[in-house]
Every structure is written in C-alpha cells, then in structure tokens.
Amino acid sequence: MKRTILLLAVALPAFCQAGGYLEVREAWNSASEEHQFKVGAGYNFDNGAGVLFQTVYNTAELDQFKHSFDEFEGWYPLWEITDKLTLSPGGILNSTSAGSTTSPYVQLGYGVNPDLAVAFKYRYNHMNYQTRDINSEMNYNDNHQLVMVVNYKINDSLTYEFEPDLYLNSGDYNRKNGKDHSWELNHKFSWKITHHWRPFVQLSWLDRDINNHAEQYRIRLGMRYYF
C-alpha cells in the first residue's frame, strides 16, 4: 500500500523512492533551436509527501548561461479514499526576473495494479504581475492546466510515462500557437541502472510556435541520483 500511495502522490515519477535526490536535465526545443539546463533537488517522504526545488538556465544555442527561473513545489497525500485511490493537493511557486507565478493544484491518483498507475490533475497558474493582453490592456495572464499521467512499469529496469497537458487561458491572451489554448504531449522513458542512478529521456510535442513558423518538439535528457 505504501508503494501505491508513493506513486500516486508524487505525479507518478518512475521508480520513486523515499529520501533525497538530485537531478540534472538538458532540454532542446526544435522551433526556437534553444537549449535549457536545469538543476534540481528534492525529498520524498515515506507517506508520499514531497518537496522539490529547481533552478533553470537558458543556454540558447549553447553560447550563453542565463538564469531563467527558480521553482519550488510541494505536495501531500491528503486523503486516501481507498487503498488504490488518493487525493493529493500541492502547489508551485515560480520566480523570474519579471515576477512570480503561483500554481495551486489538486491531483487524483489511481493505482490500477503494481505496474500501472494513472493520475488526473487540475492546476491553476496565476501570474502575480500584469502584462498587456490582446486588447492592449494590463491584466493577469492566468491559465487552467488539465493533466493526465499514465505510468507503466515495463520491467524491473524500464518505466514509460505518458503525460498529455491542456492549457486554457482564462483571460484575453494568446498562447504560442496563436490560440487561447494549447496542447502538450510528453513521452518519458526512465531506466533503473542501480539503486541510486536513474537516467531518463523525454520526447514532447508542444503545439505550434507561430513566431518561429514551426511545430515545437522538445527533447529532454537527464539523470536523477537518489541518496
């Protein structure tokens, strides 16, 4: 039961285990042709609660190292509805040079069996500063985020995760695709090399970028180390 709660409470990360960890990740976006580098540290508690801090840098075409944002996240399995169904609230605070974003969320997770778990999450991303909308008025560029996560343990060494995200703007703003909504589809594979090392690769489609006149594809390569 403890393993099921742990899977459901922390957005179903591959091979999640209690304790602290460090993570480094490199990402590349095909539309902008820019790279992004992330360093993170987190801790998973025995009951499935957790905290995560990460700092991200824009490395452009690998010719700069510019700080983009810092982010802190925390979550807690508040209600174990059944031995397989868990309700977990959480929140994210994101800080950039322009201002900050507050993102409370609630997640409902279901452990289908020891190798398969699914979760549904609603997250509201609130900008704590105003920008000009499509009507040239100052407003908050907030959005609703609907997430589904499917995590499947293929074998003792390999896990696959599928995560589609739908973003819906709550105000008069356009997303990068020129619409008031956009999709993000993520496919992630994680490997268990040892008890400590977890490399992963994530392949994503981030909808269209009309400014760059191209579809956005993203590749993430990373490594997580558990203490």
Side-chain angles (χ1 to χ4, degrees):
M1 183 181 298
K2 181 183 291 186
R3 180 186 177 190
T4 301
I5 296 174
L6 204 57
L7 280 170
L8 299 177
V10 244
L12 311 173
F15 303 106
C16 176
Q17 62 188 57
Y21 58 89
L22 294 175
E23 181 177 300
V24 294
R25 187 193 71 202
E26 165 69 14
W28 177 75
N29 185 298
S30 65
S32 64
E33 298 185 350
E34 290 190 338
H35 294 258
Q36 186 187 73
F37 179 73
K38 186 200 83 169
V39 179
Y43 193 90
N44 296 322
F45 297 92
D46 289 334
N47 67 348
V51 292
L52 172 64
F53 172 78
Q54 57 185 0
T55 183
V56 178
Y57 296 86
N58 182 355
T59 53
E61 297 182 2
L62 299 179
D63 57 358
Q64 70 175 27
F65 196 72
K66 183 178 180 181
H67 181 256
S68 294
F69 64 87
D70 294 320
E71 189 170 276
F72 178 82
E73 180 177 2
W75 59 88
Y76 187 84
L78 183 64
W79 184 17
E80 185 186 342
I81 303 171
T82 70
D83 61 347
K84 292 186 176 183
L85 191 64
T86 305
L87 183 69
S88 303
I92 298 174
L93 178 62
N94 181 296
S95 177
T96 70
S97 59
S100 63
T101 302
T102 305
S103 303
Y105 64 79
V106 61
Q107 175 177 284
L108 184 65
Y110 181 72
V112 180
N113 58 52
D115 297 327
L116 178 64
V118 297
F120 299 91
K121 179 189 294 185
Y122 168 73
R123 172 174 155 184
Y124 186 75
N125 300 306
H126 171 64
M127 308 286 284
N128 296 318
Y129 60 98
Q130 294 183 329
T131 58
R132 294 197 180 277
D133 61 19
I134 59 177
N135 301 314
S136 297
E137 297 181 358
M138 298 299 293
N139 212 327
Y140 296 99
N141 187 10
D142 296 353
N143 63 78
H144 306 275
Q145 183 178 350
L146 305 178
V147 184
M148 180 179 74
V149 183
V150 180
N151 187 278
Y152 178 63
K153 183 180 178 182
I154 299 173
N155 54 45
D156 290 339
S157 300
L158 181 64
T159 292
Y160 167 69
E161 181 179 281
F162 174 58
E163 179 189 324
D165 293 49
L166 174 61
Y167 295 85
L168 302 165
N169 284 353
S170 61
D172 293 326
Y173 289 87
N174 286 333
R175 304 191 62 78
K176 286 188 176 182
N177 62 1
K179 303 176 182 178
D180 63 356
H181 67 281
S182 65
W183 281 93
E184 180 176 318
L185 303 178
N186 302 289
H187 302 270
K188 182 178 180 180
F189 293 89
S190 301
W191 291 267
K192 180 181 179 181
I193 296 180
T194 69
H195 177 75
H196 299 288
W197 296 100
R198 307 286 195 274
F200 62 86
V201 57
Q202 185 185 64
L203 308 175
S204 304
W205 174 72
L206 310 180
D207 218 313
R208 187 165 183 81
D209 184 345
I210 60 174
N211 290 328
N212 288 302
H213 309 289
E215 299 293 309
Q216 294 184 91
Y217 298 98
R218 182 180 64 201
I219 301 174
R220 285 175 170 173
L221 299 175
M223 176 72 74
R224 178 174 289 193
Y225 177 81
Y226 285 94
F227 296 105

